[in-house]
Amino acid sequence: MTGLAASTSTPTVRRRRAVSDRRAFAGWWFLTPFLIVFLISFVAPILYAVYLSVFRSQLIGGNAFVGLENYARALQDPQFWSGVGRVSLLLVLQVPLLLIIALAAALALDSGKLRGMAFFRISIFLPYAVPAVVATLIWGFMYGTNFGLVGNLNDIFSTSLPNPLAPSNVLGAIANILIWGNVGYNMLIFYAALRVIPTELYEAAAIDGAGQFRIITAIKLPAIRGALVIAAIFSIIGSFQLFNEPQILQPMAPNAIPTYFSPNLYSYNLAFSGGQQNYSATVAIIMGVATMVVAYAVQLRGMRKGN
């Protein structure tokens, strides 16, 4: 009986497996265009950068394999660590402020008590539509003490406003540009998350006599924890990728923004001004790994708190 059952069920099982295999194969066909672009635009450059990072270009003998020598050099490079420290300080200054302002704006919109809400929403989101290069140029002209808004205010009112592009202030000036440009994007993420909270929770909270502050802390913030974590990860990655702002502001403040102001700027100058492509690739690989580790740690901690 057992053998008869096996002989009658085997063709059915085989047909099901064949159908399942065909469906899985059809799925890979749909994924193929993405995989091709992903391999060419993402995986291949990383592999090439890793390849470059284990070689050293020499005047005599061409490229020589040096193993991890470039990585050891980067870990002892004070200019590299100076850039890492500057970016880390920017992260600590900029990310919390950015998220708090965006969250406050989203909560204000979600409350439905604002007059001219459409104008308020568009005016906050509009800076995100401005390209980072244009935004930096705009703020660069405003920061100028000889030709910009700060200089004009000093001339008109005979004041001595601090120079935003001074060495001690330039990091705050860059943080201001980043916050101005990204508040709208993060506000949209939070606002969209707030809009999907079931209204029954608000009704139950109203019956219990909860005020707005209690509703925010007990219902809204826990409900959008996932959106907060995602926005924090994006902001951290953006901070580690700092390049456009110091690169554009550098001619206006050469004494405040050195060529190694951020690791990305340092890597760029090593490759295209210093002719050190191998060491530049090493710096880029180290920063890529550091960014992934920090972003993953934030995600892990955020998810753990959510559970």
Side-chain angles (χ1 to χ4, degrees), residues 134-154 161-165 173 176-177 180 249 252:
V134 177
T136 307
L137 286 173
I138 292 172
W139 280 99
F141 285 121
M142 293 176 68
Y143 288 154
T145 53
N146 296 324
F147 52 84
L149 179 62
V150 174
N152 292 334
L153 291 175
N154 284 335
L161 296 175
N163 180 8
L165 298 179
N176 175 59
I177 299 174
W180 179 81
L249 293 176
M252 305 178 196

Side-chain angles (χ1 to χ4, degrees), residues 168-184:
S168 58
N169 300 329
V170 70
L171 199 62
I174 291 175
N176 175 59
I177 299 174
L178 294 174
I179 292 172
W180 179 81
N182 293 294
V183 161

